[in-house]
Amino acid sequence: MGATGIEVLTPGGRDASIPWTQPGSRGGAIQRVDSKRQRFDAGAWLLLALLAGAGCGKQALHGTVIPNLRPTVQLTQVPAPADTSGTYAYEVSWAGYDPDGRVAFFEYSVDPPSRALAETVWVKTIANRKTFVFRSDSLASGSAQRARGFHTVVVRCQDEQGARSPLAAASFTSTTMAPGVQILVPSPSTLLARAVPAVVRIEWQGIDPDGIGSQKPASYRWKLFGPSSEFTPTQALADPDSVRRFYAPAFAGWDSVGGDVQAASLHDLVQGQTYMFVVVAFDQAGAYSPVFSGDSNMLLFRVDPALSLGPQITIGSPAFTYTFPSGGYYTDPDFYVRVEFPADLPIQLFWSAKPAPGGFIRGYRWAVDILRLDDETPRTDEATDLGHWSRSTTDPGIVLPADSPGAGGATTHYFYLEAEDDLDLRSLAVVQFTVVRASFDKELLVVDDTWFTPDRVGTAGCVTSALGQWPSAAELDTFLYAAGDKPYRCYPAGARSPAGVFAGYSLDTLGTHFTTAASFNLRRLDRYRNIIWMTDLNSAFAYTGPYNTFFRPMPLLRALSAPAVANPLSTWLLQGGRLWLMGGGSAYSTLINFDAPRSPDNIFSAALGELGPGRLMYDNAHWKSEVRVLHSFRARRSARAVGAWAGAPDYTLLPETLFEKSIATDPLPPLRTGTFYLTSYAAEHLFKPNSVLEHLAGEPPGTPASSVLDTLYETQSGEAGSGWPLMTVYHGREASLFVFTGFPIWYFQRSQTIELVDFVLGRLWGLSRQPIAR
């Protein structure tokens, strides 16, 4: 790939509310849209972070309920004059902040209990300061500089929706303000034992409010508790202050580090074992941090061997999304994600990663075609030197510059993504992507993705009479492709085949029986400017059991539309290919993999997330409201089929009504004994308003947006009712002409089917049919 600029994606993915730009010209700089990074403000961290009530949601515009954000509270404290001998006092001030509302009131408690389930007495107030007076504790000796006892004031606030802030606390002795310490990584919780690998680094931050020259504590002491310790992890969490009372004030036997050291690495932890890590801060006068809590200085964790693999990465683009089975460094080519992208178009990639419960992703870095994964050479230019690791970032994606292989050619590249979590564990994902340039040197490909009854050989090598509902596989081939005026083998003398509805067009055909999604790639399609893809509803149900001596596999379209599968059809459409999707089961095949729980399997709704971005019907057909699959009797040309856009054909040339076959219009084929004259068909149709408006190229500013989705046919009678869009043409800027037909064209009268075929292939696509005898 060339040395070109890249674009950094914003968190949240591509959305209309986020400004998206295309990459600059070759050699341009990075176009950074936005970046959200996790930060820790040393001045704002809270000594305690016990969980409080979550509160109710808040109402936003258009009736959307958004979560109510918790308020926060901060403390400051200064010594105050005591009113009697043998006492000391501190004035504690607090300030509350609610990011999405207002603080209603505060609550404080003095020396709250730390035992699990213990009742805390709270005092409610709207004041923002109070002087607290405490009795002085005795000193150990006349020369001692620290008191034996301490007192703690804890404050919280509540917003108007009932959400409470995390707790803020300050501790005092008669001689000093006590230091505090907060474990940061992994984040502690009284409700959750953090899962960690067998080697873990624990980080913390301390503060000495009245430190001289620095607010860093003078030293720290820490200890790891296991099942055979004086306190088991469960006992320590049940009564945290009992640990303090047992070891204070000397904390003999604990590991000690200086105030500049704010981390400890633990090794040789037992797989599956639960531990408790406790850290205490000391100031210059020897006072220690007296508040012991499972949300601040005590970390309960469990050793999980699976987490040694690192965070679990998900990577994708508009054409695919893939989640790796677990964390790990996936350097084996068998685990590469293989996708194809069109030439001359920017390559958009997005990603995320799942850390261990309670953890977070520290950052990502990436490279393209890097020669050695252990090459830590910095980039000479962050925007253009893609062959080295990028700087660590929390951005959830990028847009790589377009690649331009030669005519009909392809180039292959490797994209490397590394994710790092708060435990310093890393995972690697590799995407092998091939950039393909379509040649479009052939006019038309017809993909038969149906599965009808196959022929069966009878006596004298002749095919037995077709049974069951029309058509069988052979009958459909004849209906579509037959050259016409040819004798039928083993049929009565004089029987001649009629010309197929596609006869006379220059086309290739492709059957999908036993073709897998893994073996189907863009190079099977990129020679064709136009493709017709047919999938019927019965095949879309994907019967996989025995069918006589054959099997009915899943339609290829359904397999290509599954989650985590890169659909080459989507890439081919981006290259400018024109698709006619039809058959009565095509929409179902592309959406059934996303069927929501408890939703009927013949209804696909945008409101439930079944019909959404990344799906062929949404992105390309532009059906974006609700799709239903019900039976209908006929199809009627829509009164809304007016065209009038540049290059639009005359829609009135379409048959006004598409009728079912009858004896008068379609004679029964020779030897046909099964059902031939059907009375209903599977109709895939829109069921809710589906306006698609765009501003056309070259329009002056202020011009109203125009409709770019035309309805050609609507349902008529049957379960589906009448008037629902059934066949549409998208002619906007986001794709070349895309025709969707939610019915099997072989259901209707042959002459009308030919008119429909000639309209799409001839009048919409500009293809020519050679004269044939009918």
Side-chain angles (χ1 to χ4, degrees):
M1 302 183 70
T4 62
I6 60 172
E7 179 183 359
V8 180
L9 305 191
T10 63
R14 188 168 189 171
D15 186 87
S17 63
I18 300 175
W20 280 70
T21 60
Q22 293 297 321
S25 59
R26 291 185 177 271
I30 294 178
Q31 303 176 47
R32 183 175 297 275
V33 183
D34 187 21
S35 176
K36 295 182 180 178
R37 302 181 183 274
Q38 291 180 323
R39 295 179 299 169
F40 180 81
D41 188 344
W45 70 273
L46 303 176
L47 185 61
L48 289 177
L50 297 175
L51 296 176
C56 305
K58 296 190 177 182
Q59 196 75 13
L61 295 177
H62 311 298
T64 301
V65 177
I66 58 176
N68 179 32
L69 301 178
R70 296 176 70 186
T72 58
V73 65
Q74 290 182 291
L75 301 186
T76 57
Q77 60 274 351
V78 295
D83 55 355
T84 61
S85 176
T87 63
Y88 65 97
Y90 278 89
E91 182 182 80
V92 180
S93 302
W94 47 81
Y97 171 68
D98 185 14
D100 59 351
R102 64 179 181 84
V103 173
F105 58 86
F106 299 91
E107 293 177 313
Y108 66 84
S109 180
V110 178
D111 296 331
S114 67
R115 296 185 308 278
L117 304 179
E119 187 70 24
T120 299
V121 177
W122 293 97
V123 179
K124 184 176 178 180
T125 181
I126 58 173
N128 62 359
R129 68 180 60 197
K130 181 176 174 58
T131 298
F132 295 90
V133 180
F134 306 106
R135 182 175 299 278
S136 297
D137 298 284
S138 61
L139 298 178
S141 67
S143 61
Q145 297 298 311
R146 66 176 186 270
R148 293 176 179 175
F150 67 92
H151 295 282
T152 299
V153 174
V154 180
V155 179
R156 70 186 182 188
C157 65
Q158 181 171 311
D159 68 12
E160 82 282 8
Q161 295 290 327
R164 292 193 178 101
S165 70
L167 304 183
S171 297
F172 322 95
T173 70
S174 59
T175 58
T176 186
M177 284 185 279
V181 63
Q182 173 74 49
I183 295 175
L184 303 179
V185 179
S187 56
S189 170
T190 57
L191 303 180
L192 175 69
R194 281 294 311 271
V196 303
V199 177
V200 62
R201 175 183 170 88
I202 299 176
E203 300 176 8
W204 60 80
Q205 189 166 23
I207 187 171
D208 181 8
D210 57 357
I212 301 175
S214 172
Q215 287 196 327
K216 285 185 177 181
S219 64
Y220 298 97
R221 297 181 187 178
W222 62 267
K223 184 175 179 63
L224 183 66
F225 293 86
S228 59
S229 302
E230 294 90 342
F231 291 86
T232 67
T234 302
Q235 291 171 334
L237 188 64
D239 187 1
D241 197 58
S242 65
V243 178
R244 181 196 65 81
R245 295 193 303 268
F246 185 83
Y247 289 102
F251 294 90
W254 290 41
D255 289 89
S256 179
V257 294
D260 292 332
V261 179
Q262 299 185 99
S265 294
L266 307 180
H267 304 268
D268 302 322
L269 300 174
V270 178
Q271 305 283 10
Q273 191 62 265
T274 298
Y275 295 91
M276 173 71 80
F277 177 89
V278 184
V279 61
V280 180
F282 283 79
D283 67 11
Q284 295 171 340
Y288 64 89
S289 53
V291 176
F292 278 51
S293 166
D295 283 312
S296 60
N297 72 323
M298 304 175 74
L299 172 67
L300 182 69
F301 65 88
R302 175 180 54 82
V303 181
D304 186 344
L307 296 182
S308 300
L309 300 175
Q312 184 182 25
I313 293 177
T314 295
I315 192 164
S317 77
F320 81 97
T321 302
Y322 180 74
T323 300
F324 283 82
S326 67
Y329 237 65
Y330 287 93
T331 57
D332 188 331
D334 288 343
F335 291 98
Y336 288 179
V337 180
R338 292 176 170 83
V339 296
E340 295 170 309
F341 294 110
D344 303 327
L345 292 177
I347 297 170
Q348 177 183 332
L349 293 171
F350 54 80
W351 54 72
S352 63
K354 181 181 178 181
F360 63 88
I361 299 300
R362 181 169 286 163
Y364 305 91
R365 64 176 186 168
W366 59 271
V368 179
D369 296 335
I370 190 171
L371 298 180
R372 288 176 46 196
L373 295 178
D374 60 353
D375 182 1
E376 299 295 337
T377 304
R379 288 186 175 182
T380 57
D381 186 293
E382 190 68 21
T384 60
D385 184 10
L386 309 186
H388 291 98
W389 286 113
S390 69
R391 292 193 294 263
S392 181
T393 176
T394 57
D395 296 315
I398 56 166
V399 176
L400 296 174
D403 198 11
S404 300
T411 56
T412 297
H413 303 278
Y414 296 85
F415 178 84
Y416 299 86
L417 175 70
E418 189 179 75
E420 181 181 11
D421 65 13
D422 58 326
L423 302 177
D424 292 330
L425 295 175
R426 298 180 179 183
S427 293
L428 177 75
V430 183
V431 177
Q432 177 184 318
F433 66 93
T434 301
V435 179
V436 179
R437 180 181 297 282
S439 61
F440 289 156
D441 58 340
K442 291 194 171 187
E443 281 192 348
L444 179 62
L445 174 68
V446 180
V447 180
D448 183 356
D449 195 22
T450 66
W451 189 280
F452 291 108
T453 307
D455 287 341
R456 289 174 293 176
V457 178
T459 59
C462 293
V463 175
T464 60
S465 300
L467 302 175
Q469 185 171 291
W470 190 89
S472 67
E475 287 175 321
L476 181 61
D477 284 348
T478 301
F479 179 82
L480 297 176
Y481 313 119
D485 199 29
K486 303 295 182 182
Y488 285 104
R489 182 171 179 266
C490 299
Y491 273 45
R496 313 289 287 186
S497 64
V501 298
F502 293 133
Y505 287 102
S506 176
L507 58 85
D508 291 336
T509 63
L510 174 65
T512 62
H513 294 181
F514 310 113
T515 301
T516 64
S519 65
F520 191 79
N521 56 42
L522 185 60
R523 278 162 279 188
R524 301 282 291 271
L525 305 175
D526 64 4
R527 295 191 64 185
Y528 299 95
R529 182 72 174 87
N530 308 287
I531 293 178
I532 297 172
W533 194 295
M534 302 178 296
T535 304
D536 66 295
L537 186 60
N538 286 336
S539 299
F541 285 138
Y543 298 126
T544 55
Y547 189 83
N548 294 331
T549 57
F550 298 88
F551 290 88
R552 178 173 294 183
M554 177 183 293
L556 180 59
L557 183 61
R558 179 169 174 175
L560 292 174
S561 302
V565 175
N567 190 344
L569 262 179
S570 299
T571 305
W572 174 82
L573 287 164
L574 288 174
Q575 293 177 306
R578 299 184 298 202
L579 181 65
W580 184 7
L581 192 60
M582 67 158 80
S586 296
Y588 182 93
S589 291
T590 65
L591 298 173
I592 188 60
N593 294 303
F594 306 96
D595 191 36
R598 297 181 297 279
S599 172
D601 61 5
N602 67 323
I603 300 176
F604 304 98
S605 170
L608 297 178
E610 300 164 304
L611 182 62
R615 284 144 219 184
L616 203 63
M617 291 301 297
Y618 188 95
D619 292 340
N620 302 105
H622 286 76
W623 285 28
K624 299 188 175 186
S625 55
E626 182 172 292
V627 178
R628 294 196 174 192
V629 186
L630 295 168
H631 282 88
S632 189
F633 296 156
R634 296 173 180 171
R636 186 173 183 82
R637 191 178 71 224
S638 175
R640 294 170 286 180
V642 294
W645 44 276
D650 183 358
Y651 291 163
T652 63
L653 297 176
L654 286 164
E656 183 175 349
T657 301
L658 297 178
F659 291 96
E660 67 277 13
K661 295 181 181 67
S662 67
I663 296 176
T665 61
D666 294 82
L668 190 70
L671 305 183
R672 222 316 161 170
T673 58
T675 304
F676 180 72
Y677 298 109
L678 307 177
T679 57
S680 67
Y681 63 91
E684 298 178 312
H685 60 87
L686 283 166
F687 192 72
K688 290 186 177 179
N690 195 89
S691 179
V692 180
L693 303 176
E694 294 180 11
H695 288 283
L696 303 180
E699 288 183 339
T703 303
S706 303
S707 175
V708 291
L709 184 67
D710 294 350
T711 300
L712 302 189
Y713 280 99
E714 299 170 345
T715 58
Q716 187 174 18
S717 303
E719 292 177 326
S722 298
W724 295 110
L726 182 66
M727 179 175 179
T728 60
V729 176
Y730 172 77
H731 53 86
R733 293 180 288 104
E734 296 180 0
S736 297
L737 288 174
F738 189 105
V739 183
F740 178 78
T741 300
F743 54 75
I745 61 172
W746 50 87
Y747 168 81
F748 298 105
Q749 296 173 10
R750 175 186 293 269
S751 61
Q752 293 186 321
T753 302
I754 292 172
E755 290 183 72
L756 186 63
V757 167
D758 286 341
F759 180 86
V760 175
L761 273 59
R763 299 185 182 278
L764 271 177
W765 288 353
L767 305 185
S768 299
R769 185 200 289 268
Q770 296 300 315
I772 57 171
R774 292 193 180 275

